[in-house]
């Protein structure tokens, strides 16, 4: 495994959930962490306390080309780029899906990852990597998850394409199953999985650390779903 010691790692979506868990683990591995999200800079002091480590923070919206370009210029060169920004989407039957909300979800999760990676070219180390986030709804079809199914499966294809076009930079995805928000319905549903429960953010974060560090991984999806896709 390549060491993350002193590596500059930009984690977009690192202020909460899975991204915050990646931040904590990457800090412990000796990385120099930069957290970005729409409100990360405003939460700087709280985030430093949460991770107990000196970090940089930037606020920008990945759905905004201008904000993304401006922030990337300030951030400068990085070794690894991790993207865990989560769109607001309410699961609903396809015929009832709010088209505006579905398009906004694409703007954040699909086009956000797309433009961030495109604009960061020239700033990512040739020995470095990109880790995007998809989700199990892209592989296993769950009723009422049409928007996430399409975004996640498009991102999986995008990852394989980028692994070829951006080499030697490695490009991978992590595909989480059910993590959060916890609800009695989701926890009951998860009892059917081989794992018998939903995941913790920390369990999913392990996969990002592995993908950044393993120099022979590229174009792959690491599924951390407790076996949900098998049901
Ligand atoms: N949680 C699950 O069960 C689950 C399951 C499958 C897949 N996933 C995927 O895993 C990833 C992380 O999910 P999570 O549950 O850990 O999310 P989360 O706790 O809601 O955190 C989302 C992060 O994204 C940032 N963010 C949201 N919109 C943004 C935007 N437009 N621009 C920049 N930053 C933005 C948020 O900060 P600000 O509010 O400050 O912007 C926050 O740091 C997402 O891609 C999600 O689709 C999650």
């Amino acid at each position: 495994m390549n060491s993350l010691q002193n590596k500059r790692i930009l984690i977009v979506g690192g202020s909460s959930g899975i991204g915050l868990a990646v931040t904590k683990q990457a800090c412990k591995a000796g990385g120099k962490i930069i957290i970005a999200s729409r409100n990360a800079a405003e939460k700087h002091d709280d985030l430093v306390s949460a991770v107990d480590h000196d970090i940089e923070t930037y606020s920008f919206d990945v759905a905004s080309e201008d904000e993304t370009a401006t922030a990337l210029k300030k951030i400068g060169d990085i070794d690894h780029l991790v993207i865990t920004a989560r769109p607001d989407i309410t699961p609903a039957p396809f015929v009832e899906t709010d088209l505006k909300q579905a398009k906004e979800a694409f703007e954040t999760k699909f086009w956000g990852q797309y433009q961030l990676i495109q604009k960061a070219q020239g700033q990512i180390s040739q020995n470095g990597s990109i880790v995007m986030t998809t989700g199990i709804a892209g592989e296993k079809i769950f009723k009422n998850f049409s928007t996430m199914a399409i975004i996640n499966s498009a991102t999986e294809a995008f990852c394989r394409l980028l692994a070829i076009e951006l080499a030697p930079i490695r490009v991978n995805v992590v595909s989480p199953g059910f993590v959060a928000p916890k609800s009695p319905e989701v926890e009951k549903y998860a009892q059917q999985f081989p794992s018998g429960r939903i995941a913790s953010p920390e369990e999913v974060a392990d996969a990002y650390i592995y993908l950044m560090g393993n120099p022979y991984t590229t174009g792959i999806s690491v599924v951390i779903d407790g076996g949900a896709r098998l049901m």
Side-chain angles (χ1 to χ4, degrees):
M1 291 283 277
N2 286 341
S3 168
L4 297 185
Q5 188 73 36
N6 290 326
K7 298 296 182 198
R8 275 174 64 77
I9 304 170
L10 171 59
I11 304 176
V12 180
S15 65
S16 154
I18 295 168
L20 182 59
V22 177
T23 299
K24 288 176 181 170
Q25 293 187 19
C27 283
K28 280 194 188 135
K32 305 274 184 204
I33 309 305
I34 307 140
I35 290 183
S37 76
R38 289 165 302 182
N39 303 297
E42 292 76 8
K43 294 180 183 163
H44 178 86
D45 293 348
D46 290 344
L47 288 168
V48 169
S49 302
V51 303
D52 195 22
H53 200 273
D54 196 18
I55 53 169
E56 292 174 49
T57 51
Y58 291 86
S59 289
F60 70 93
D61 185 339
V62 286
S64 161
E65 284 193 52
D66 290 348
E67 286 184 29
T68 302
T70 304
L72 284 171
K73 272 193 199 128
K74 288 184 196 154
I75 290 166
D77 289 347
I78 55 174
D79 294 288
H80 300 279
L81 170 62
V82 170
I83 315 168
T84 62
R86 181 182 189 174
D88 287 329
I89 187 83
T90 312
F94 168 69
V95 292
E96 294 168 22
T97 293
D98 181 316
L99 184 56
K100 182 167 174 286
Q101 192 189 56
K103 286 185 175 180
E104 283 169 359
F106 259 88
E107 287 295 328
T108 296
K109 187 155 176 178
F110 182 77
W111 292 114
Q113 298 195 95
Y114 183 113
Q115 60 141 337
L116 189 52
I117 293 167
Q118 198 176 50
K119 291 186 194 312
Q121 288 315 298
Q123 293 180 226
I124 304 174
S125 163
Q126 296 290 294
N127 296 320
S129 77
I130 298 166
V131 189
M132 293 187 280
T133 307
T134 57
I136 201 61
E139 184 174 334
K140 177 179 167 64
I141 300 305
F142 295 97
K143 273 171 82 173
N144 303 337
F145 280 79
S146 59
T147 306
M148 294 318 295
I150 304 162
I151 292 174
N152 290 334
S153 47
T155 305
E156 300 257 351
F158 182 44
C159 166
R160 295 193 293 275
L161 176 282
L162 290 180
I164 294 172
E165 289 205 7
L166 302 186
I169 295 170
R170 297 178 297 105
V171 187
N172 295 295
V173 299
V174 174
S175 180
F178 290 80
V179 186
K182 291 183 182 181
S183 71
E185 293 78 25
V186 169
E187 297 201 64
K188 187 156 184 271
Y189 180 55
Q191 287 171 9
Q192 305 168 54
F193 304 161
S195 62
R197 60 173 177 83
I198 64 172
S200 68
E202 291 72 24
E203 287 167 329
V204 178
D206 289 346
Y208 296 79
I209 302 297
Y210 166 75
L211 289 170
M212 282 190 277
N214 186 306
Y216 208 62
T217 54
T218 195
I220 66 163
S221 171
V222 175
V223 178
I224 310 286
D225 73 339
R229 75 199 174 288
L230 306 173
M231 304 310 293

